Amino acid sequence: MTCYEELVARGLIAQVTDEEEIKELVDNGKATFYIGFDPTADSLHVGHFMALCLMKRLQMAGNKPIALIGGGTGMIGDPSGRTDMRQMMTVETIEHNVECFKKQMSRFIDFSDGKALMVNNADWLLDLNYVQMLREVGPHFSVNNMLRAECYKQRMEKGLSFLEFNYMIMQSYDFYRLFQDYGCNMQFGGDDQWSNMLGGTELIRRKLGKDAYAMTITLLLNSEGKKMGKTQSGAVWLDPNKTSPYEFYQYWRNVADADVLKCIRMLTFLPLEQINEMDAWEGSQLNKAKEILAYELTSLVHGKEEAEKAQEAARAIFSSGNAANMPSTTITEADLTDGKIDILGILVATGLCTSRGDARRNVQQGGVSVNGEKITDIDTSYAPEDIQKEDFILKKGKKNFRKIIFE
């Protein structure tokens, strides 16, 4: 099976242009491709996971990845998939987030000896002269066509700012510059990026002629990948200080039965033959598949040692209630009010609930227990000695556990 055939078999390809040419490049290690990442936070999250895994797969097949960090476009914000305008970030915040991305990407991509590049579009976008940009790029874009793009349609009802309207032009210019400066002949992105990506392909061909070699491929990142990055309590980060390896493991361990084999096929590096055998699995076998998924992805992000610890902790908790390897939260004097902390405060402190309102709903719906006893009173409070006298195990829902420690 060729590299491109495997991408299709794993369900990664949604749309392409010039499929035969793309096959030729990808299957023979001739693709220099880029995927863009806007630095809107100081950590990547699992919504980026599919893109990172794709870059790793293609690099393993001899192709050259370019991780394009949107230090310039990040100052505007992508309107795709949004009904409101993104909050604008400072230069300092963007630079900090870029550094964090570099560290995390290195777990997936080999940047040594020119095997991959990391480029920041701030290097060319921030120095552009406005009139020069209008003359050089503006004539190649039809406003009528731009307004028909799905990414703009969603914003038109509430108002699309001129700032955001320029995002497509800037992203297209990125591909043009990467083609010119680094020989980048292919771009990947989510299906919500299709209009922006086609803009880049057309810009190259119009400025440099029909023979200019620029391809586009889109992935199912919007419908299948980006939704992976959100849970009821917020984003699932790749940074262990934001989402612990145990929490990361548990996220994948708790995916829906209908999604587990899809995730294994798209995101792990297990052989397709092995995955295809799992297609017949059902019932309790799907729990085994979830363990495989959780272990493989935790190992990829945090290393085998952390994946094994997370798996052991999860199994111990579910089988015997053993708290030895359970993730913990420390409560201090600063968290107390009149010498106590209520159950809502504990839930918020652990991160299992995003707010006291969220915590209140979980308690009232019967989803919270302490040491096996369901908590029904939202005013339930605990003194330090209540927490210290024995293992204080908080449970939210069926599978979210925390050991509470007072220091």
Side-chain angles (χ1 to χ4, degrees):
M1 182 179 292
T2 67
C3 178
Y4 185 81
E5 289 172 341
E6 182 172 356
L7 296 181
V8 173
R10 289 183 179 272
L12 293 170
I13 303 299
Q15 302 180 74
V16 301
T17 63
D18 308 297
E19 185 173 46
E20 292 305 314
E21 289 86 348
I22 289 172
K23 287 180 181 178
E24 166 67 19
L25 292 174
V26 168
D27 292 342
N28 293 287
K30 297 178 181 178
T32 298
F33 66 96
Y34 95 89
I35 298 180
F37 300 83
D38 274 353
T40 54
D42 59 0
S43 172
L44 298 164
H45 56 69
V46 297
H48 297 113
F49 211 91
M50 193 182 295
L52 295 169
C53 291
L54 176 85
M55 296 176 87
K56 183 177 177 70
R57 289 185 206 282
L58 289 172
Q59 187 178 51
M60 290 169 62
N63 299 288
K64 184 174 182 177
I66 299 177
L68 180 67
I69 306 299
T73 44
M75 292 188 175
I76 290 180
D78 183 1
S80 302
R82 296 185 63 87
T83 58
D84 58 354
M85 185 172 171
R86 293 183 187 273
Q87 182 178 356
M88 296 182 69
M89 298 183 294
T90 65
V91 173
E92 292 76 18
T93 298
I94 291 173
E95 289 177 349
H96 170 72
N97 293 349
V98 167
E99 290 304 312
C100 294
F101 278 23
K102 286 181 181 179
K103 183 177 180 181
Q104 292 177 347
M105 286 181 179
S106 295
R107 292 197 65 91
F108 294 82
I109 306 163
D110 182 3
F111 289 98
S112 67
D113 302 321
K115 296 174 185 174
L117 298 174
M118 182 169 287
V119 179
N120 189 336
N121 65 13
D123 293 343
W124 54 79
L125 291 178
L126 297 190
D127 292 332
L128 277 174
N129 176 282
Y130 185 62
V131 174
Q132 175 191 352
M133 178 72 168
L134 288 177
R135 288 176 60 86
E136 184 176 357
V137 179
H140 302 288
F141 286 84
S142 163
V143 171
N144 291 347
N145 290 338
M146 292 174 71
L147 290 176
R148 283 194 287 268
E150 196 62 36
C151 62
Y152 290 142
K153 282 182 181 179
Q154 298 176 37
R155 293 285 287 114
M156 289 296 287
E157 290 184 9
K158 289 193 175 182
L160 175 69
S161 72
F162 182 71
L163 183 73
E164 294 171 291
F165 188 64
N166 279 270
Y167 192 92
M168 181 187 291
I169 296 175
M170 295 175 74
Q171 182 172 330
S172 299
Y173 188 72
D174 283 343
F175 193 21
Y176 171 73
R177 284 298 299 264
L178 291 171
F179 179 88
Q180 290 282 75
D181 298 349
Y182 301 99
C184 180
N185 52 23
M186 192 176 295
Q187 58 179 332
F188 285 78
D191 57 359
D192 61 335
Q193 294 289 310
W194 186 241
S195 298
N196 293 346
M197 295 169 66
L198 288 179
T201 299
E202 287 304 309
L203 177 62
I204 291 173
R205 290 178 176 175
R206 288 180 180 181
K207 285 187 67 65
L208 304 177
K210 293 182 179 179
D211 293 333
Y213 224 39
M215 313 294 173
T216 58
I217 296 182
T218 66
L219 310 182
L220 290 170
L221 286 178
N222 186 45
S223 57
E224 300 294 345
K226 286 187 176 179
K227 72 178 183 181
M228 295 176 184
K230 299 291 183 182
T231 66
Q232 291 181 349
S233 59
V236 177
W237 304 101
L238 305 193
D239 183 343
N241 295 316
K242 287 177 170 287
T243 299
S244 71
Y246 174 83
E247 292 169 320
F248 188 84
Y249 178 95
Q250 283 296 92
Y251 173 77
W252 297 107
R253 176 63 180 79
N254 294 334
V255 299
D257 290 355
D259 293 333
V260 59
L261 292 178
K262 184 188 299 181
C263 289
I264 289 176
R265 188 168 277 110
M266 286 180 168
L267 302 177
T268 76
F269 288 80
L270 296 175
L272 280 170
E273 295 78 11
Q274 180 181 346
I275 299 171
N276 290 339
E277 291 176 2
M278 299 181 191
D279 284 336
W281 288 10
E282 56 186 20
S284 61
Q285 288 178 305
L286 291 178
N287 287 327
K288 181 180 178 182
K290 293 177 186 180
E291 281 199 340
I292 292 171
L293 172 69
Y295 177 84
E296 290 294 326
L297 298 190
T298 306
S299 178
L300 186 60
V301 174
H302 299 295
K304 289 187 177 180
E305 182 178 350
E306 290 294 340
E308 289 170 2
K309 286 167 59 177
Q311 187 171 70
E312 290 172 6
R315 288 175 175 174
I317 291 169
F318 296 138
S319 63
S320 63
N322 183 0
N325 294 313
M326 190 182 300
S328 63
T329 297
T330 299
I331 303 296
T332 68
E333 289 281 352
D335 298 307
L336 305 180
T337 300
D338 297 329
K340 291 187 175 183
I341 182 170
D342 65 11
I343 188 65
L344 306 186
I346 294 176
L347 284 164
V348 173
T350 62
L352 292 176
C353 292
T354 57
S355 66
R356 289 181 66 85
D358 182 26
R360 183 182 297 107
R361 285 190 294 274
N362 276 275
V363 171
Q364 292 172 337
Q365 292 169 5
V368 176
S369 64
V370 171
N371 292 340
E373 181 179 346
K374 184 177 292 187
I375 305 299
T376 57
D377 184 356
I378 61 173
D379 294 321
T380 302
S381 298
Y382 302 91
E385 54 268 26
D386 298 324
I387 299 172
Q388 292 171 321
K389 64 183 179 183
E390 60 179 329
D391 281 341
F392 189 102
I393 308 301
L394 176 70
K395 180 182 177 184
K396 189 200 108 175
K398 293 182 178 180
K399 300 177 180 179
N400 295 301
F401 294 81
R402 285 294 184 285
K403 180 178 180 180
I404 309 301
I405 301 169
F406 182 83
E407 291 183 354

